[in-house]
Amino acid sequence: MRNLLSLSQLTLEEIQELLDLSQQLKDHKIKSQLTNKKIANLFFEPSTRTHYSFITAQHNLNCHPIDFAPGTSSIIKGETFYDTVKVFESFGVDAIVIRHNENYWYKHLVGKIKVPLINAGDGAKDHPTQSLLDLLTIKQQFKTFKNLNVLIVGDILHSRVAHSNIAIMKRLGMNVFVSAPQKFQDKQYSYVDFDTYLPKVDVINMLRIQKERIHDDINIDIKMYNKQFGLTSTRVKMLKPSAIIIHPAPVNRNVEIDDAVMESKHSKIFSQIENGVYVRMAVLLWTLHK
């Protein structure tokens, strides 16, 4: 049994293995099935891309997805997170995919749940499958990670994507730079000027403002944010011709990224979404030892 909780638990060889498997699945070079495997999808936070790409991946592998709706579950009656997960384990599922707003939710479960656990996002800390699909998108463009310049921009403090990507991108040999308004800075990182670094980067990773995680005492002036940290049509002209734009989505259009930029020649945002299905297929196959 293998869990996928954080990319930090994997070797670089295992990460490359998952990326290669994802690409082979996308290119239809291999046809793998997990016939009749039952996969529980426990999303305690709203999600479109991650949630439904996992379900799509499960259908593609001939699994039986079991979907969980917190708002109509016994959580309303006071059932704990742990007991909810134990219920699905008791149903005889083969793996459990979980997103939860608590950082490191899996610490409550490891060693107590006897089926594989897959982290679909924990609080503001980690999002391993998003990082994998970002890496796949970058690899498709550049064929390598070594010495690529990456600029991650926006709400660093509240973003699990930022924390995941900064760590794994550095491990893979990329030069990672971070730019953010002061109110969205995580103090463990150093910060650079957005406009100064734009012409130098190969990958610009824009982030969503995480409104659901922001305290009431943090005020956001949307127009000012777009002016100072938005990827506008003017700023896109500063990018190298080969540079790509990625974003975990959903995108706050005309805040982090202008409408005209969303489907520009630099944008790989919808390619990322497509790649997400194949990455999650690969993760399911890898987790279930197939």
Side-chain angles (χ1 to χ4, degrees):
M1 187 185 80
R2 290 194 282 196
N3 299 319
L4 181 64
L5 306 175
S6 171
L7 295 188
S8 64
Q9 79 185 74
L10 305 185
T11 65
L12 293 183
E13 290 74 20
E14 287 173 320
I15 290 167
Q16 293 287 1
E17 176 189 338
L18 280 167
L19 294 176
D20 290 344
L21 179 56
S22 301
Q23 189 63 54
Q24 289 171 342
L25 288 163
K26 184 172 185 178
D27 293 340
H28 304 292
K29 290 183 178 177
I30 59 172
K31 292 185 179 180
S32 295
Q33 297 285 294
L34 292 171
T35 302
N36 295 327
K37 294 291 186 183
K38 298 185 289 294
I39 314 295
N41 300 286
L42 277 56
F43 279 70
F44 294 84
E45 284 188 322
S47 171
T48 301
R49 275 145 294 275
T50 304
H51 190 166
Y52 293 101
S53 66
F54 261 115
I55 290 177
T56 302
Q58 290 155 23
H59 280 296
N60 289 350
L61 292 170
N62 205 24
C63 297
H64 297 299
I66 300 174
D67 218 10
F68 169 69
T72 57
S73 75
S74 290
I75 289 175
I76 304 300
K77 302 175 183 177
E79 183 172 77
T80 66
F81 168 61
Y82 173 79
D83 284 344
T84 298
V85 178
K86 286 293 288 184
V87 165
F88 282 89
E89 180 191 38
S90 301
F91 289 157
V93 301
D94 296 286
I96 304 176
V97 179
I98 299 177
R99 169 174 287 188
H100 199 281
N101 61 7
E102 182 178 341
N103 295 342
Y104 311 117
W105 55 257
Y106 45 82
K107 291 185 177 181
H108 301 294
L109 304 177
V110 172
K112 300 176 182 177
I113 301 297
K114 306 305 181 187
V115 298
L117 298 169
I118 299 173
N119 184 3
D122 66 290
K125 291 301 179 185
D126 220 333
H127 199 347
T129 60
Q130 178 67 47
S131 288
L132 286 169
L133 72 89
D134 289 350
L135 293 175
L136 181 62
T137 305
I138 293 167
K139 189 175 183 181
Q140 288 167 345
Q141 178 75 9
F142 297 103
K143 313 304 180 190
T144 185
F145 300 120
K146 201 72 174 172
N147 295 323
L148 290 178
N149 293 325
V150 182
L151 180 61
I152 302 180
V153 181
D155 185 0
I156 305 296
L157 182 62
H158 304 100
S159 174
R160 53 189 162 220
V161 175
H163 293 111
S164 286
N165 278 359
I166 291 169
I168 188 56
M169 288 175 173
K170 287 182 176 180
R171 284 180 68 200
L172 287 165
M174 294 185 238
N175 305 310
V176 182
F177 305 96
V178 185
S179 186
Q182 188 171 6
K183 66 181 72 175
F184 291 148
Q185 292 181 3
D186 184 327
K187 306 247 184 270
Q188 67 180 301
Y189 307 120
S190 299
Y191 292 82
V192 301
D193 180 72
F194 184 24
D195 290 322
T196 300
Y197 273 75
L198 265 180
K200 305 177 183 181
V201 301
D202 301 295
V203 180
I204 180 163
N205 187 175
M206 303 300 293
L207 301 172
R208 180 176 66 88
I209 298 174
Q210 305 274 307
K211 295 176 183 177
E212 69 275 20
R213 302 187 203 287
I214 294 172
H215 300 301
D216 292 338
D217 58 347
I218 298 180
N219 297 315
I220 307 167
D221 184 328
I222 295 301
K223 288 184 178 179
M224 185 59 67
Y225 185 93
N226 179 257
K227 181 178 179 180
Q228 294 179 339
F229 289 93
L231 192 55
T232 63
S233 298
T234 301
R235 283 195 170 103
V236 163
K237 294 175 184 176
M238 299 167 64
L239 292 173
K240 294 192 292 190
S242 60
I244 64 171
I245 301 162
I246 61 175
H247 190 299
V251 177
N252 294 309
R253 285 175 176 257
N254 300 311
V255 181
E256 302 118 25
I257 301 179
D258 281 6
D259 263 335
V261 177
M262 278 289 294
E263 296 182 65
S264 70
K265 64 180 182 180
H266 294 283
S267 176
K268 298 295 180 182
I269 295 169
F270 290 102
S271 297
Q272 287 175 270
I273 296 168
E274 181 183 0
N275 284 336
V277 173
Y278 299 103
V279 161
R280 285 156 183 141
M281 288 173 68
V283 165
L284 288 163
L285 289 165
W286 181 85
T287 304
L288 290 166
H289 299 270
K290 296 294 180 180

